[in-house]
Amino acid sequence: MLWKKKYALAIFIVSVNGLGALLNKLLKWLFKRERPDILPVIIEKGYSFPSGHSMGSLIFFGSCAYLCIHIVKSTGKKVVAYIIASLFILLIGVSRIYLGVHYPTDVVGGYAIGIAYSAVCILAFRLYEYKAKR
């Protein structure tokens, strides 16, 4: 983004992801849900809800897909970017359940919070763009 002199988009992607990580830490501290202990493939520390990987992947790949609206001109390439982002988000969530470090509700909760948070951030950015053009 900096190379293309799209400074507002660069600030958007960094701030959305950074604040999203802080939001996840806050929510884990508030809910304090223990991780599943039924035959985990790996051992994780910390609390379980919401899934940080699921929430983070949705915020990161979702914001990257949103950037495609501003950068990529071809509709076909935009669709491909959205499909790839969606697959990464889905596979990361499923992997957290498979590894036994999250309950399915942790992943769904991470997705739900990630969608809501991303929607608010995108709306705020669009409002900024609208006011900047005036």
Side-chain angles (χ1 to χ4, degrees), residues 26-101:
L26 174 67
L27 292 171
K28 282 184 181 281
W29 179 79
L30 286 173
F31 288 104
K32 295 181 181 171
R33 182 177 187 185
E34 295 299 321
R35 292 187 180 272
D37 59 354
I38 304 169
L39 302 172
V41 176
I42 61 171
I43 304 297
E44 283 283 334
K45 296 182 182 184
Y47 294 114
S48 182
F49 184 86
S51 168
H53 282 82
S54 300
M55 184 175 155
S57 68
L58 193 137
I59 292 168
F60 176 74
F61 290 113
S63 60
C64 288
Y66 178 72
L67 289 179
C68 287
I69 292 171
H70 293 281
I71 296 170
V72 179
K73 301 207 186 314
S74 165
T75 303
K77 289 180 182 177
K78 288 179 185 181
V79 170
V80 169
Y82 281 109
I83 290 171
I84 290 170
S86 298
L87 286 173
F88 276 130
I89 292 165
L90 180 66
L91 290 173
I92 288 170
V94 169
S95 74
R96 304 310 290 168
I97 298 166
Y98 171 77
L99 292 172
V101 295

